[in-house]
Amino acid sequence: MFKDITLGQFYPADSVIHRLDPRVKLLGTVVYIASLFIGKTFFTFIPISVFLVMVIILSKVPVSFILRGIKPIIPLLIISAAFNLILTPGDSVIVRFWIITINWEGVFMAIFIILRLLYLVAGTSLLTLTTTPTRLTDGMEKGLRFLTPLKVPVHEIAMMMSIALRFIPILTEEADKIKKAQLARGADFESGNLMKRVRAMIPLLVPLFVSAFRRAGDLAMAMEARCYNGAEGRTKMKPLFYAGRDFIAYGVIFGYLAVVIVMRVFGL
Amino acid sequence: MSIIDVKNITYDYHKKDDQGNETESVRALDDVSLEVKEGEFIAVLGHNGSGKSTFAKHLNALLVPTGGTVYICGMDTSDTSNTLEVRKTAGMVFQNPDNQMVASVVDEEVGFGPENMGVPTDEILKRVDDALNSVGMYAYKDSSPTRLSGGQKQRIAIAGILAMKPKCIVADEPTAMLDPKGRADVLKVLHMLNKEQNVTIILITHNMEEVIDADRIFVMEGGKVVMNGSPREIFSHVKELQRLRLDVPEVTKLAFELKQKGLPLRDGILTREEFVNELRLLAKGRV
């Protein structure tokens, strides 16, 4: 049950996108998400598609991998499409029954929303597919450093993220162990209705939390013993440096953003 | 100057109730004094609750004594301006290998200490390689710690301390959670560091088999140091050790019991070879 948890799944390959500086990829992702929300017509999907397809081809990540990320959001797609279909106001009525009215504007909105969400998931999953968790947290720490004067604890957040990633496999293993121990004592996780099954998780979660807190205490002490003192005076073992390709990528990203904005301004 | 100089320290744990009032105070260390010279291999023995772990945490300024003073290379640990310097001098390895690892890749884990100390990047990379070579884990440089065995993880933890170039390593029951193979590997690494790189080692343990190669042994009980001396001196007092609920090595015990039955063996036999030699001599004498 716990083996299915995959967070920030990484697809190892040797590609330009993999080698890009994580800061570039983070900014690219943010621009890409923004572009999806800037566009108001179907025409904007032309530059967006070109951009996405280009990145996918360059990244050498198989399309099946990206499609796999879409599967879990299908219920969300259906729900949001249904709401848009029914609730969008408009005059060009197609059918009307009981209290439900379906019009062409609703159909348009529903398709638009589905496309938007599909592109959103496909694009953002590329970030984690092509960047290792360590590089990602490093990129966040360095890329968001400009927030430090605003009292945003950037280093601490990055450290918390990397420790969380480090402990995911340990805690999954532990959860499995506790589950087996409770099964051996006659615990039942499989049968009964939803409420019953949720309640059956308590004897599993309580020991898991207790042990997680104990681990946290131990880790804090071990970090302190190794002179950890926050970001101040800290050096990096693998510092990030921009290469030529990173500047080209920045150029592409901003060019793409400009195209999308211009299209919006001209109402396309 | 001795590298560790502990002068009459006491330490009280305070238990508090919900309102923050003190309900109980437990004396975990009671007038402990000891001195360690650079390059020594010291073992601190004691069963659970003897205060040995509390003592270990004092050597790294994780705890500061309630009374008395701990000097590490002449620095008083209770002075907070010394804390970082103390931790650079005396590194600490803990019991649970999983709970002391910060990074998801072995080389970054080893580099964590030097990063914190502000060592320049090139120097960190060199130190990490050296440290991993010292503990024989260089081949695993790019792997994830989760895939390693307990003994390997503990060797990585030792490398993580080594990369900080400490004069002294305090190992708080580093083998308690390991299988016999991992245990042997970790001890081998500690002894090698002691002999070849002149690192002072303080090994905290309750396992008697691990201490026979130490230079000196301190036995703790109820927060006090009750015995100290060379392994041979300590293991001559089998009766006393049994009273302290500490197991003596099997050979020592056998020799002790044979002696009680009237065989004229000498005290404090530590290894099987020694025991066999002693028996041979005895047999020759009789013939």
Side-chain angles (χ1 to χ4, degrees), chain B residues 30-269:
Chain B
D30 190 2
D31 196 26
V32 174
S33 293
L34 64 88
E35 218 175 298
V36 179
K37 284 190 225 45
E38 194 159 358
E40 275 191 300
F41 194 114
I42 302 289
V44 178
L45 265 176
H47 62 81
N48 294 339
S50 60
K52 60 187 195 303
S53 265
T54 311
F55 172 72
K57 282 173 196 146
H58 277 82
L59 302 180
N60 194 266
L62 286 171
L63 294 175
V64 284
T66 314
T69 328
V70 179
Y71 294 102
I72 305 291
C73 276
M75 292 174 287
D76 183 347
T77 58
S78 59
D79 182 350
T80 46
S81 64
N82 285 337
T83 307
L84 278 183
E85 209 50 48
V86 166
R87 288 181 184 157
K88 281 180 209 170
T89 313
M92 189 143 173
V93 178
F94 296 86
Q95 187 184 69
N96 188 324
D98 276 322
N99 294 1
Q100 52 184 317
M101 294 208 168
V102 189
S104 314
V105 190
V106 165
D107 61 346
E108 284 173 25
E109 167 62 30
V110 177
F112 180 72
E115 280 184 334
N116 291 336
M117 287 158 59
V119 176
T121 300
D122 312 344
E123 171 75 11
I124 296 180
L125 293 172
K126 200 180 150 293
R127 284 191 187 194
V128 168
D129 286 357
D130 289 350
L132 282 172
N133 274 321
S134 291
V135 298
M137 290 294 291
Y138 187 78
Y140 298 89
K141 196 176 171 211
D142 295 317
S143 29
S144 153
T146 25
R147 303 242 168 90
L148 304 178
S149 74
Q152 290 174 319
K153 282 183 210 167
Q154 208 58 301
R155 273 146 74 197
I156 297 294
I158 294 173
I161 300 300
L162 265 188
M164 297 166 68
K165 303 222 164 158
K167 289 202 178 104
C168 167
I169 293 179
V170 183
D172 187 4
E173 301 207 52
T175 58
M177 298 178 73
L178 306 183
D179 56 19
K181 167 85 169 63
R183 185 171 290 196
D185 286 343
V186 167
L187 283 174
K188 210 167 85 191
V189 164
L190 287 176
H191 277 286
M192 185 276 296
L193 293 175
N194 178 247
K195 289 212 176 64
E196 289 173 17
Q197 306 189 12
N198 201 34
V199 182
T200 312
I201 306 280
I202 317 284
L203 176 67
I204 317 279
T205 181
H206 60 250
N207 189 324
M208 303 296 271
E209 312 276 347
E210 294 178 0
V211 303
I212 50 180
D213 293 322
D215 295 327
R216 275 195 298 154
I217 299 177
F218 292 88
V219 181
M220 291 190 71
E221 161 75 20
K224 290 189 168 98
V225 174
V226 286
M227 290 165 87
N228 87 75
S230 69
R232 206 173 294 284
E233 283 161 16
I234 297 287
F235 288 121
S236 313
H237 304 93
V238 178
K239 270 266 160 63
E240 176 73 3
L241 288 170
Q242 280 172 341
R243 193 184 63 72
L244 295 170
R245 287 176 286 156
L246 288 165
D247 287 324
V248 287
E250 285 299 321
V251 199
T252 314
K253 201 170 165 190
L254 181 60
F256 171 76
E257 273 164 16
L258 285 172
K259 196 184 168 190
Q260 293 241 302
K261 293 276 185 244
L263 263 181
L265 291 164
R266 66 185 168 83
D267 276 331
I269 287 175

Side-chain angles (χ1 to χ4, degrees), chain A residues 45 74 76 93 97 111 128 157 176 249:
Chain A
F45 282 105
I74 289 175
L76 183 73
V93 178
F97 59 95
I111 296 172
T128 49
I157 292 171
D176 255 350

